[in-house]
Amino acid sequence: MTPKGLLTGFLLVHLGYLAYLSIFVFQGQAFSDTNIYRDWAAAGFPQDVQPSPWVYPIAGLLPIWISGLAGPGPFLILWVVLTSVLNGVAIGVLSGWGSKREGVRASWWWLVFIALMGLLGFARVDGVTAPIVLLGLSLGVASPFAASVILAFATWMKVWPAAALLPLFTVVRERWKVVGGAVLITAAVAAIAAALGVFHHLLDFLTTQGSRGMQLEATFTTPWLWMSVLGLGGARMYMNTEINSMQVDGPGSSVASALMQPLFIVVAVAIAGTIFWALHEGKKRGHEDRSELLLAGALAMVSAFIVFNKVGSPQFMLWLGPVVALGIAQDRAAWRVPARLLLGIAAATYFIYPLFYDALSHNNPLMALVLTLRNVLVVILFVWSAIRLVRLGRKGAAAAKTDAP
């Protein structure tokens, strides 16, 4: 629980993964998606390769470009170092650079979470954006403009941080600062894209996803997953090579795929409305807790982004970590339930990928069960966050002392 102890833990986790992934580098390889990132960097991000780099928002190519500056050889090492530096800054802020005891506890939880998520945190853009989101949310209510700038930048790297921007807009007093920060970053990204001659690709990430069906790991795919495993209704697993995604097809899956985005929009509006309601109820009682509402709202929105999504890549579980870590730092007792749930989710996800993904994608019933249990835990986490929002509205700041859903 000392700064030196926390630093030791940080180095053990990050140097351990750096050493392991260096084995791939010495063999002239990268790992998982970083193989694709490395090819993009080496080729100068052409649009005519599959999968296309424009599947990401344009700022998502920034860490890929940085990691490719020294050429293809050390790409993975630079990627891991960049991720580690960002994690280090996030842990420093979370722990008050070792001066806040509850922050140190939360930082240890974050380290355990990173270790359990394993290679997913060191071989995906999501591993870069997660600590950035933690930094943005840590500023939260106190500095809404700076928080908005950071979260908007992260959104232009990967869309999911937008799920933290909406609760921030909802809870702060000076909402124009949130809008101003997001508009400023968006204008800057657009200007840079225009200067680089790729402005016409600015919104490609919105359309490149269009060919996606129901991804194998997505929560709502679970019925078709079991239909494929049991050989029912002609359901099958197949690889969508255009976007490097394993998907499941079966009776009604195309309808479910089409309904996912509208359903999420409805749920997101409902969550935003609940946050507004909870804030209003707290004001009436004279003890609204805007910081707690921000974290509870962000967890509800981010978990909804996972649950009501036809895409369900295993790295998506990284999105939940920053919110829970900050919740633990703010009120460890109240956030004990999601902290434990998310460690279980991380452990199950590691079994799914990278350990036994090949078995899962070949209809292995045991791994289908592991994936189903993981998805159930994610749904429970979403339900917990929704219930907590309602309790905050009914009881105001007193709800911050409750422990269970």
Side-chain angles (χ1 to χ4, degrees):
M1 296 304 296
T2 64
K4 185 180 292 185
L6 182 59
L7 177 61
T8 301
F10 172 81
L11 291 175
L12 283 174
V13 171
H14 290 78
L15 290 178
Y17 276 108
L18 178 62
Y20 175 73
L21 288 168
S22 294
I23 297 173
F24 293 88
V25 175
F26 294 146
Q27 295 174 344
Q29 304 172 18
F31 178 80
S32 188
D33 280 14
T34 54
N35 278 301
I36 300 172
Y37 300 163
R38 184 177 67 165
D39 291 344
W40 289 347
F45 308 109
Q47 189 194 18
D48 57 350
V49 297
Q50 296 297 341
S52 168
W54 308 111
V55 71
Y56 291 151
I58 193 166
L61 303 183
L62 178 61
I64 297 172
W65 174 75
I66 292 173
S67 300
L69 286 175
F75 182 93
L76 183 56
I77 288 179
L78 292 180
W79 183 272
V80 175
V81 169
L82 175 62
T83 304
S84 300
V85 169
L86 289 170
N87 282 340
V89 174
I91 284 175
V93 170
L94 183 62
S95 67
W97 301 99
S99 65
K100 299 177 181 177
R101 187 169 182 82
E102 288 305 313
V104 171
R105 289 183 184 275
S107 297
W108 272 109
W109 180 91
W110 174 257
L111 281 175
V112 172
F113 175 68
I114 289 174
L116 287 174
M117 286 299 296
L119 300 170
L120 290 168
F122 294 95
R124 298 288 198 279
V125 172
D126 307 76
V128 174
T129 53
I132 297 175
V133 169
L134 192 150
L135 294 173
L137 282 174
S138 69
L139 295 171
V141 177
S143 304
F145 179 78
S148 175
V149 166
I150 294 172
L151 291 173
F153 176 70
T155 300
W156 275 106
M157 297 181 76
K158 203 78 189 289
V159 176
W160 75 270
L165 262 176
L166 183 55
L168 177 67
F169 172 82
T170 307
V171 303
V172 299
R173 289 186 175 89
E174 299 173 302
R175 294 189 176 97
W176 66 268
K177 291 185 177 180
V178 178
V179 175
V183 169
L184 177 65
I185 289 299
T186 299
V189 169
I192 293 171
L196 294 174
V198 292
F199 184 82
H200 57 292
H201 291 310
L202 192 63
L203 299 179
D204 277 11
F205 68 95
L206 295 175
T207 57
T208 307
Q209 303 278 0
S211 60
R212 280 188 184 269
M214 296 294 289
Q215 189 168 339
L216 171 60
E217 306 97 298
T219 306
F220 272 73
T221 302
T222 304
W224 289 277
L225 163 69
W226 281 104
M227 288 175 66
S228 177
V229 170
L230 298 175
L232 301 176
R236 65 185 182 95
M237 300 179 186
Y238 67 98
M239 173 62 73
N240 183 335
T241 56
E242 184 179 350
I243 50 178
N244 194 40
S245 172
M246 182 64 68
Q247 298 177 178
V248 181
D249 188 24
S253 61
S254 58
V255 176
S257 177
L259 290 176
M260 285 297 96
Q261 188 170 6
L263 183 58
F264 169 70
I265 292 173
V266 171
V267 173
V269 170
I271 293 171
T274 305
I275 298 172
F276 271 118
W277 167 79
L279 182 62
H280 177 70
E281 291 297 304
K283 285 180 179 179
K284 288 198 301 186
R285 295 178 175 88
H287 49 56
E288 78 271 18
D289 189 339
R290 294 175 183 268
S291 295
E292 182 62 23
L293 275 175
L294 171 61
L295 293 180
L299 182 61
M301 198 71 75
V302 173
S303 58
F305 207 92
I306 296 172
V307 171
F308 300 96
N309 197 333
K310 65 180 179 180
V311 184
S313 300
Q315 67 268 21
F316 286 8
M317 304 307 119
L318 288 166
W319 304 354
L320 300 161
V323 187
V324 174
L326 288 165
I328 295 170
Q330 181 164 290
D331 190 338
R332 180 161 53 103
W335 284 77
R336 185 178 293 126
V337 170
R340 291 173 177 174
L341 281 173
L342 193 48
L343 291 183
I345 289 168
T349 301
Y350 188 74
F351 276 91
I352 294 165
Y353 186 92
L355 292 186
F356 299 110
Y357 193 79
D358 186 64
L360 174 65
S361 62
H362 286 82
N363 294 307
N364 182 282
L366 181 59
M367 288 314 302
L369 179 61
V370 173
L371 176 58
T372 301
L373 292 174
R374 197 284 307 274
N375 288 344
V376 168
L377 290 178
V378 176
V379 172
I380 292 173
L381 186 64
F382 168 69
V383 172
W384 183 93
S385 62
I387 292 174
R388 181 155 183 81
L389 271 180
V390 173
R391 286 187 168 183
L392 284 169
R394 288 178 175 173
K395 300 181 181 180
K401 302 303 180 186
T402 60
D403 186 25

